[in-house]
Amino acid sequence: MEPGKMALQMISFQRTLFESTFSAMCTVQDQTEQMTNTFLKQMNWMPEETRKSINDSVEMYKKAREDFKKSVDQGFEKFEEIFQAKV
């Protein structure tokens, strides 16, 4: 097998592995967010400022998660471009 094709297969495998792991991580984070929201709804005594702070944190990690995914996808694309030229 040609080294370029083998490298592309390895990159494809790594991308699939990342996608699966990232999806599982997102599921856990989303479930945690739902659970937190359920708790917050039941805590009438909690100040609105604290709720806003928690919601801001949730939005921040969602944006960071999207930015991370975008960066990794761009990295995979660059690797594929490099090895596609070798095939």
Side-chain angles (χ1 to χ4, degrees), residues 39-48 50-51:
F39 286 140
L40 289 175
K41 286 177 186 174
Q42 295 175 6
M43 296 180 185
N44 297 331
W45 51 267
M46 185 176 288
E48 188 60 36
T50 304
R51 292 174 195 267

Side-chain angles (χ1 to χ4, degrees), residues 4 6 15 41 55 66 69 80:
M6 190 171 15
R15 180 181 279 223
K41 286 177 186 174
N55 287 332
E66 291 171 11
K69 173 86 166 74
E80 287 173 344

Side-chain angles (χ1 to χ4, degrees), residues 1 3 28-29 38-39 45 62 72 74:
M1 179 179 277
V28 169
Q29 288 179 342
T38 301
F39 286 140
W45 51 267
K62 282 183 178 181
V72 171
Q74 289 173 351

Side-chain angles (χ1 to χ4, degrees), residues 7-69:
L8 286 173
Q9 286 179 345
M10 288 172 46
I11 293 168
S12 176
F13 172 74
Q14 292 295 326
R15 180 181 279 223
T16 302
L17 181 66
F18 172 77
E19 294 287 339
S20 298
T21 304
F22 187 81
S23 176
M25 180 192 71
C26 289
T27 301
V28 169
Q29 288 179 342
D30 291 342
Q31 290 294 320
T32 302
E33 177 189 1
Q34 289 176 357
M35 188 173 60
T36 302
N37 286 335
T38 301
F39 286 140
L40 289 175
K41 286 177 186 174
Q42 295 175 6
M43 296 180 185
N44 297 331
W45 51 267
M46 185 176 288
E48 188 60 36
E49 183 178 299
T50 304
R51 292 174 195 267
K52 184 179 179 340
S53 176
I54 292 171
N55 287 332
D56 289 347
S57 295
V58 168
E59 293 304 316
M60 184 178 64
Y61 86 69
K62 282 183 178 181
K63 178 160 178 16
R65 183 173 75 183
E66 291 171 11
D67 291 344
F68 174 70
K69 173 86 166 74

